[in-house]
Amino acid sequence: GDAAGGAKDVGERIAKRGGGLHGGERDAADRVGFEGAWLALDRAHPLTVTVRVVGRDGELRTAECRLAATEWEGRPAVIVTVRDISERVRAEARRQQDARVQAALAATAGMAHDFGNYLMSIQGGIELAERMLSVDHPARALLASAGTSAEQAAGLVGRATALAKGVSTMRLRPVNIAA
């Protein structure tokens, strides 16, 4: 299309790809030229784009570019402001990661609480069944094994709850790997 549309298309491709002008895009931007870029800008609403660029030190950075249409000595001009926002972008990524971790910990706490309630019911059922059986009943061994498993599961629930609350209950202990 027209020069303004061409400038907009180039800008959209740059924004989608997250990089600077390369190869064919640079050629397209040259063809559109300054006049087309100026026409694409609205004087009342400067254009702000975020791009990924490689700094002089070779590090990938995020830059915010603000383009505002104006006139200079009676001719169309564009004021371009470029700001390195790499640290802000990294801080936001860290904040989002922290929020995901907090959400996972909250879900863990909720599941551990519910699982603990189920275990209490299981342990209570095992105790009642043991009371109903004679001392020499063969099912007592099975109930004792189920009781041991329920106690071990309760220990896991306790550790998951502590993890979710930010309290470590894990203790290091030696393990014989030859056994």
Side-chain angles (χ1 to χ4, degrees):
D2 63 353
K8 183 178 178 191
D9 292 344
V10 171
E12 286 174 357
R13 284 199 313 272
I14 294 167
K16 283 180 186 173
R17 198 162 89 188
L21 291 175
H22 300 282
E25 290 171 345
R26 183 179 300 117
D27 296 340
D30 289 344
R31 281 193 306 275
V32 168
F34 174 77
E35 291 293 323
W38 187 80
L39 290 172
L41 294 175
D42 177 357
R43 288 182 144 208
H45 306 295
L47 173 67
T48 302
V49 294
T50 302
V51 295
R52 305 279 313 238
V53 296
V54 177
R56 289 183 183 163
D57 59 0
E59 184 180 335
L60 189 61
R61 298 183 182 281
T62 305
E64 180 181 81
C65 303
R66 186 171 187 263
L67 295 89
T70 190
E71 288 188 17
W72 179 263
E73 297 179 355
R75 297 193 60 196
V78 177
I79 297 172
V80 179
T81 306
V82 179
R83 185 170 37 158
D84 185 346
I85 59 169
S86 302
E87 188 52 41
R88 183 176 82 193
V89 169
R90 282 191 291 270
E92 177 62 19
R94 283 190 301 269
R95 189 197 63 74
Q96 289 176 358
Q97 177 64 22
D98 290 347
R100 285 191 293 272
V101 168
Q102 290 301 319
L105 290 174
T108 299
M111 287 186 283
H113 176 79
D114 290 346
F115 195 68
N117 289 341
Y118 296 138
L119 280 173
M120 292 293 286
S121 176
I122 291 168
Q123 288 173 320
I126 291 170
E127 286 180 29
L128 287 174
E130 285 176 334
R131 289 182 190 167
M132 298 168 85
L133 297 176
S134 63
V135 177
D136 59 344
H137 195 282
R140 278 192 166 277
L142 295 173
L143 289 174
S145 176
T148 300
S149 294
E151 287 174 17
Q152 290 171 344
L156 288 174
V157 168
R159 287 195 294 275
T161 301
L163 172 69
K165 291 179 179 178
V167 178
S168 178
T169 60
M170 299 196 182
R171 291 184 207 107
L172 297 177
R173 58 184 168 91
V175 176
N176 183 352
I177 60 173

